[in-house]
Amino acid sequence: REICTVAIAGAQAYAKNDRLFDRGKEATHMLFLTVGTMIYRFQPKGRSSCEKVRVDTGSWCVEAVLWTPWQHVGEMRALSEADVVLLNAAKLLDIC
């Protein structure tokens, strides 16, 4: 119950092409995509081209922030209107 009342930071709505995060920025929340579609772009080490991963409704991302300090290694943008639920990693760790 505390996870829902303390660690869930709420929901955020994004318009098509809105940016959720950028490469190199500190991550503070795990994200749960409840509506819409996102695209994650990143450049693997040693490669000259970017890779893209489609993120659809029901998916989650940035879970690494739950167990380690994390900086984003790519960027996430909305491909459509989208809703995301945010889980505050620091508050979750305080509970657990």
Side-chain angles (χ1 to χ4, degrees):
R1 181 176 153 182
E2 280 185 89
I3 292 172
C4 293
T5 59
V6 176
I8 297 293
Q12 184 118 13
Y14 294 92
K16 183 177 180 179
N17 295 320
D18 278 355
R19 188 176 297 157
L20 279 75
F21 57 77
D22 290 311
R23 182 176 188 256
K25 299 289 183 181
E26 180 185 5
T28 56
H29 294 79
M30 182 173 176
L31 310 176
F32 297 88
L33 182 58
T34 57
V35 174
T37 303
M38 306 283 187
I39 189 79
Y40 178 62
R41 292 184 182 112
F42 65 100
Q43 186 171 356
K45 287 185 179 181
R47 299 187 71 188
S48 59
S49 61
C50 288
E51 291 194 22
K52 298 176 186 176
V53 176
R54 183 181 167 121
V55 181
D56 292 308
T57 299
S59 298
W60 63 87
C61 57
V62 199
E63 66 271 17
V65 74
L66 298 180
W67 58 83
T68 189
W70 188 254
Q71 286 189 344
H72 296 293
V73 295
E75 72 169 29
M76 180 84 76
R77 288 184 182 256
L79 284 180
S80 67
E81 291 184 353
D83 293 334
V84 174
V85 172
L86 306 166
L87 176 63
N88 185 302
K91 289 183 179 180
L92 179 66
L93 292 175
D94 286 344
I95 295 168
C96 296

